[in-house]
Amino acid sequence: MLNTVIIGASGYAGVELVNILSRHPNINIVGLLVSQYSSDIGKPLSEVHPRMKNIIDLPLQSVNSLAGKDKIEIVFLATSHEISYELAPKFLKTGCVVFDLSGAFRVKDKNFYKNFYGLQHKHGAFLEKAVYGLAEFQCEKIKKAQLIAIPGCYPTVSQLALKPLINEGLINTAQYPVINAISGVSGAGRKANIKTHFCEISLEPYGIFNHRHHMEIVIHLGIPVIFIPHIGNFSRGILATITCLLKKGVTNKNIADAFNKAYHTKPFVRLYQQGFPSLKSVINLPYCDIGFAVNNNHLIVIGAEDNLLKGAASQAVQCMNIRFDFPETQSII
C-alpha cells in the first residue's frame, strides 16, 4: 500500500481523483488537503461533494497540516500552477513521486512560463526532469519518472487526435491543422466567478491566439496549429473538431491504419469505424473517443473526452498505474 495525499481534493478534478483512488487496492489515502484559506477545512469531503457519501468521508485538512503524517510516497497536485510550482519541489526533495495536474511543469522552456503564465520559473532542475504525462505516448519515460506533468484537457484530446497522423507523416503542414474545441464550464474550476457562473455562460470562443494550451499543443506536437477554444453552457466534456490538409495520395485506409497502429493496445482510446463521437459517449468515462472523415485531401477528425477524467484525473491515475507497474486500467474501469 502506497501512502498518498491529494492536494486540491475539494475541486472538480480533485474529487474525481479521490473517487478513483479510493477504489485502488494499492493506494492508502492518508490526506485530503486544501488551501490553508479554504472555507472547507474540517468538513468531510462528502459534505462538500455529497456524491462521495459512504465512499470516502475523510475530512478536508489544510495543506499546512502535513507535518507529522505517515511517510508519504505519492502526491497528486490538483492545484493551480502557482501552488504546484511552490509545492512540487518540496515533495520531490523528500523522495515522493508527484503527479501534477497543473501547467507548472508541462513544458521545459522557461520563456513559455514567462509569456503564458506570467511566471519566472526558477525550478529549472525539476522542470528538466519532469515527464509529460500523455500516457499513450510516454509510457517508458513515465515508468522512470519522479515528477509527471499531466497534460491539459484541451492538449490531451488535440494530441491524441493528431499525433498518430503526424508520426506517420500524413498531414500536409503547409496548412496548419485547425482545432475548434468546446469545453464544459467545469474546466474553469470550482471557485466562484461571475464569468463562469452557469447562468452567464453562452457558447463563445475565448483566448484566441493567446491561450496557454495553444502553445502546449504546438510544443508537444512539434508543428504549428490554429487553436480556437470555446466555453459552452454545459458542465463537463470536450468536443474537438479538427480540420487538416492531407498529403497527396493519403487515403481513408492510411488514416485508419495510423490510428489503429497507435491505439490498438491502448485501453483508453476508442476508435470509431463509423459515425463520430459525442459528449454523451464520454461524460463520466475515462476515454478519448476519435472518429474521422476524409474527402479528397481534406480530413476532419473528431475527438471527445471528459475534461475532468481523461483530461485530468483518470489520466493522472493512468500515469500512476504505469509508473508503479500496476495494471493500466486499475480502479479506472
Side-chain angles (χ1 to χ4, degrees), residues 184-245:
V185 71
S186 60
R190 184 168 170 261
K191 190 175 293 185
N193 185 328
I194 188 64
K195 291 183 179 179
T196 56
H197 190 291
F198 202 83
C199 293
E200 299 294 327
I201 290 293
S202 178
L203 179 58
E204 60 180 315
Y206 68 103
I208 296 175
F209 292 128
N210 62 10
H211 196 290
R212 57 187 56 155
H213 282 176
H214 185 174
M215 288 311 299
E216 182 184 335
I217 293 167
V218 168
I219 289 166
H220 287 289
L221 279 181
I223 64 167
V225 301
I226 301 294
F227 175 59
I228 311 168
H230 300 70
I231 192 166
N233 54 349
F234 53 93
S235 61
R236 59 196 293 169
I238 290 179
L239 186 74
T241 301
I242 305 172
T243 306
C244 307
L245 184 67

Side-chain angles (χ1 to χ4, degrees), residues 168-190:
E168 296 300 312
L170 304 179
I171 293 177
N172 182 348
T173 55
Q175 175 180 300
Y176 295 176
V178 177
I179 304 166
N180 278 289
I182 306 171
S183 175
V185 71
S186 60
R190 184 168 170 261

Side-chain angles (χ1 to χ4, degrees), residues 5 9 11 19 22 34 122 158 160 165 179 215 236 270 329:
V5 298
N19 187 39
S22 68
V34 293
K122 297 179 180 178
S158 300
L160 292 176
L165 311 178
I179 304 166
M215 288 311 299
R236 59 196 293 169
R270 304 189 298 190
T329 60

